[in-house]
Each structure stands twice: as structure tokens, then as C-alpha cells.
Amino acid sequence: MKVVVIGAQWGDEGKGKIVDYLANEAQIIIRYAGGANAGHTIVIGEQQYALHLIPSGILYPDKTVVLGAGMAIDPAALFSELAMLNERGIDVKGRVFISDRAHIVLPRYIQIDKERDAARKKPIGTTGRGIGVTYSMKSDRDGIRIADLSWKEKMNELDASDRDYLEPYIERLEAMSIDLATYVSRHKNAQILLEGAQGALLDLDLGTYPYVSSGISCAAGAAIGGGVGPRALDKVLGVFKAYSTRVGNGPFPSEFGAGSEDALCKFVRETGREYGVTTGRPRRCGYLDLVALRYACLANSIDSLAMTHLDVYDTLDEFKACVAYRVNGAVIEHFPASVEDLNNAKPVLLTFKGWKKDLSSAATYEEFPLEAMEYIEFIERFCKTPVDIVSVGYDRKETIVRKSPWAKG
């Protein structure tokens, strides 16, 4: 069985925790897109792990993880991350593989990335990790892949500084290299978890272009970067927060307050630890945008949803969610492609009653306060998609599963 996990908002939804939790029942975890611009935080008891390139399932000792064909891989960042895991007692030997079709991030791409964004009249707010430049080089057919490291003619086309940079990594990268399509075919009966990066609203085609990532972060990307065809994907799970966040520039119709610095924003940011894992930047925060979430469900054939950070609302008397937009005097209920319309959109908000209880003490969904259930069930009706998993804390054990995506049917 092959299950895809994607972010259903603008990234930072808590995919790392959900993938880590679901990986317990998988044999193989494939990260199919993105690069070191992503950041996944895993909390296991007193231990916290910040991962950027390595799939979250690596923390289980019996799992195999793969960096997929759609990824942009910075060798220095990769081996630094592997060293960190080894130092912390996670044995990664023989458990980490890389698709030979994955592209490589070179140091000069990182500098170009920073300079290019700074030169824009309206900067996108990239992480400056060279990912966009790598994908640009890929589409220009000037990039370099893992498979090209043994191609002397191709390597000779690179600058001397590029070759010098790659030289210490070539043998190690080639030792980890696999033909991903063949590998997946040989493990066709395995439980395979395909892990996305960023979120559906940052997808190059489906997101708030041009304020998007450069890769494919939608569910379809799992087929492109995961070594399988689309008909081989069994289920798509979308991860979303009980509210919305965004890093960098771009439209955000449900953002809290003027300049995103009002009291509610500060409360959510501090309670939810809303700072970028990769950059440390404070995230912009806002009401749950149900219009955008419903669009993500439709555009990605999301079968079920995983809700995170619901516990952030534990102490509030009431809170709100966005159920429509008011654009130029008209109320609309769809998610427009026009950035201008999104920038001009004012959220139409619906108020929900708070529960004033600690959700982390609940062991089952039935133990949730009625008000929390009503919020979840409203989301299910609005998006026409079940919320099958609810996270009520950072630790693995603080996860309520109503229905596992591994369940048949």
C-alpha cells in the first residue's frame, strides 16, 4: 500500500510529526520533493530532532528511507544531517538511499538564490538555500543529477570550483544511489509512505504563484518524485493546522490583525512555537482558512485530513475560522488564482466556542470536549473530507487516530 502525506496549507503544518507517527506501520518512507528549505521537527519524549532532507521515518531503527527523484539535494547539508543523527544514536548505515535522478544543489546556487530574491521588486522571501535555482537549472536542462557524477563529460562542463566541492562527496553519494522506479517495483508489496515538503498552497502550479516554492509539493508530485505512476497511489492524507500560518511574502486572506502583530497573533505564535525550523523566522499567523483548505482537498484528491495544533486553542473562550472571502464587495466561496484578488480579500469569519480544557489528556476522540468535536465536524462538512487524525501535542503519543490511512477501504 502506498500512502501520500502532503501539507494542505502553506507548509509548516506538522507533516514531520504525522509522517513519523505513520512510519511505524511503513517499511519504506520516500521524500519526493523539496530540499533543505524544508524543516520537520520530531519530538520523542525529551528528545527533539530537526530534519531538513532526511525523511522523518529515519528515527525508527527498522525503516528504510529514500530521497526521491523530485528532490534538490545539498550534499553538505545531507551529510551534516546524517552525522547529527549518528551522533545522537540513530544508526543510519544502509538505511538511507537517494534516487539517481535527484538533482544536486551547488554552493553558487545558494548565492544566486539570495541575490535573485533581493533584486526582485517584490521579494518572495525564499529560505536562501538554493532550491529555486536548482529547479531552474533543472528545467533549463543545465542541472546536475546524482546519476551524472560518474559522467566525465558532464562533470567537465562544471566550473572547477563546483568539481572541487563535489569531489569529497561523490563516492558516498554514489554508494547511496538507486534506480527508484526499479527499487519501488521490487518492493511493490511493502507499506510505502510518500512524504511531501512545503504545502499544497506553495505548489508551483496549484499555489499562490509567484509566491510559491519552486518544486512540486502537491499530491501529484508523489508519482513524479516517488518512482511510481499515479494509479499506484492508494491514499492521500492532507495535514493542516487548527489555524493558518505562512512564512515569507504572499497573499494570506485570513491573517490576524494589522501587520500580523496583534495580541491574538502573538498568542498563537508563542503557544504554537511558530518559528521556522529552517530559518528561525517568525511565521505569519491567521484564522483557519477553510476556503483554501477545501481547495487543497479538491485539487489534491485528499482522502482524509490530519489536524495539528488543536491544543493551541485550549485556553480560548472563543475563536474564529474563515468560511468565505469578501472581494471588491462580492462574497466568494472559492479560492481564486488571482494574487490581486487574494490580496484584496477580506475574510468572512465564523465564531466557534472554546472548550477551556487540556486536550492532551484525551486518549480517544470520544474524550474530546463537545466544542472541540463541533469544530472538527464543521471542518469535515465544509471540506467534505474526514478528519481522521488529530494531534494534541508535539510528542508521538499525543496523537488521536480515528481511522488509520493504512486501513483498507
Side-chain angles (χ1 to χ4, degrees):
M1 190 173 186
K2 299 175 182 66
V3 173
V4 181
V5 178
I6 67 166
Q9 296 168 308
W10 282 282
D12 308 308
E13 302 94 346
K15 295 183 296 300
K17 177 192 171 172
I18 299 301
V19 169
D20 170 73
Y21 186 87
L22 296 176
N24 183 47
E25 295 186 55
Q27 285 85 50
I28 301 167
I29 301 90
I30 301 172
R31 166 89 176 272
Y32 64 80
N37 56 335
H40 294 164
T41 302
I42 313 297
V43 179
I44 306 170
E46 298 297 317
Q47 297 295 315
Q48 182 168 308
Y49 301 85
L51 301 175
H52 300 276
L53 284 164
I54 307 297
S56 303
I58 192 65
L59 300 179
Y60 291 93
D62 59 338
K63 311 301 178 184
T64 297
V65 302
V66 182
L67 283 68
M71 288 191 67
I73 298 171
D74 180 333
L78 171 63
F79 289 107
S80 174
E81 197 164 307
L82 288 171
M84 177 274 293
L85 289 168
N86 272 320
E87 288 168 4
R88 298 187 62 181
I90 307 298
D91 184 7
V92 300
K93 187 176 180 180
R95 298 202 296 125
V96 182
F97 298 99
I98 307 173
S99 168
D100 54 10
R101 287 173 165 80
H103 276 249
I104 296 172
V105 180
L106 295 171
R108 59 187 170 91
Y109 295 176
I110 296 171
Q111 187 60 34
I112 293 170
D113 191 5
K114 294 175 180 177
E115 292 173 354
R116 183 180 292 175
D117 201 46
R120 288 187 173 103
K121 291 183 179 179
K122 293 184 178 180
I124 292 169
T126 75
T127 60
R129 295 297 192 271
I131 308 304
V133 176
T134 304
Y135 284 128
S136 178
M137 297 291 281
K138 174 180 178 178
S139 63
D140 283 342
R141 290 154 292 183
D142 289 322
I144 182 165
R145 306 170 303 161
I146 299 295
D148 300 330
L149 294 172
S150 59
W151 182 10
K152 291 184 179 180
E153 183 180 352
K154 180 66 176 179
M155 292 294 286
N156 288 336
E157 292 175 4
L158 297 177
D159 295 343
S161 59
D162 293 336
R163 293 195 298 272
D164 290 344
Y165 168 74
L166 289 171
E167 183 61 35
Y169 302 115
I170 291 176
E171 187 174 338
R172 285 183 286 173
L173 289 169
E174 289 183 333
M176 299 163 69
S177 171
I178 60 170
D179 177 334
L180 184 53
T182 300
Y183 180 84
V184 172
S185 177
R186 287 174 178 166
H187 295 84
K188 61 183 178 182
N189 295 321
Q191 299 271 70
I192 299 179
L193 193 60
L194 295 117
E195 175 184 4
Q198 286 79 47
L201 301 179
L202 291 176
D203 182 77
L204 188 60
D205 291 298
L206 301 181
T208 51
Y209 188 90
Y211 299 98
V212 293
S213 184
S214 301
I216 301 177
S217 52
C218 63
I224 298 171
V228 297
R231 288 189 296 173
L233 303 176
D234 294 292
K235 290 185 181 178
V236 178
L237 176 72
V239 185
F240 76 104
K241 285 176 181 167
Y243 47 91
S244 298
T245 64
R246 179 163 196 164
V247 172
N249 299 324
F252 190 1
S254 66
E255 188 167 11
F256 293 140
S260 186
E261 293 300 329
D262 69 356
L264 183 56
C265 177
K266 291 178 180 178
F267 168 79
V268 169
R269 181 181 289 153
E270 295 305 318
T271 308
R273 306 182 197 176
E274 295 300 347
Y275 295 88
V277 178
T278 300
T279 64
R281 289 183 294 184
R283 295 174 185 143
R284 299 159 64 191
C285 301
Y287 306 103
L288 174 60
D289 189 333
L290 285 168
V291 180
L293 182 60
R294 180 169 58 189
Y295 165 73
C297 290
L298 291 171
N300 292 275
S301 298
I302 291 176
D303 296 292
S304 63
L305 291 163
M307 184 187 211
T308 66
H309 290 243
L310 184 59
D311 52 298
V312 170
Y313 280 165
D314 279 357
T315 62
L316 298 184
D317 293 316
E318 62 179 32
F319 56 92
K320 299 176 182 179
C322 171
V323 295
Y325 304 142
R326 188 169 283 105
V327 182
N328 300 324
V331 174
I332 64 172
E333 296 181 348
H334 69 278
F335 190 73
S338 167
V339 168
E340 184 177 25
D341 283 350
L342 287 169
N343 281 335
N344 291 329
K346 304 298 180 186
V348 176
L349 300 173
L350 184 65
T351 300
F352 294 84
K353 186 178 179 182
W355 42 89
K356 307 285 286 185
K357 292 181 181 178
D358 179 7
L359 290 182
S360 66
S361 62
T364 66
Y365 180 73
E366 288 69 29
E367 294 177 35
F368 278 9
L370 177 62
E371 294 83 359
M373 289 184 177
E374 288 175 343
Y375 184 44
I376 292 168
E377 289 161 15
F378 180 86
I379 294 168
E380 292 180 315
R381 292 192 301 273
F382 192 95
C383 296
K384 296 182 172 61
T385 308
V387 177
D388 284 345
I389 299 174
V390 184
S391 170
V392 292
Y394 293 96
D395 198 275
R396 271 181 189 165
K397 63 185 179 182
E398 295 173 321
T399 309
I400 307 296
V401 179
R402 302 171 71 192
K403 181 181 179 181
S404 170
W406 297 116
K408 302 291 185 181

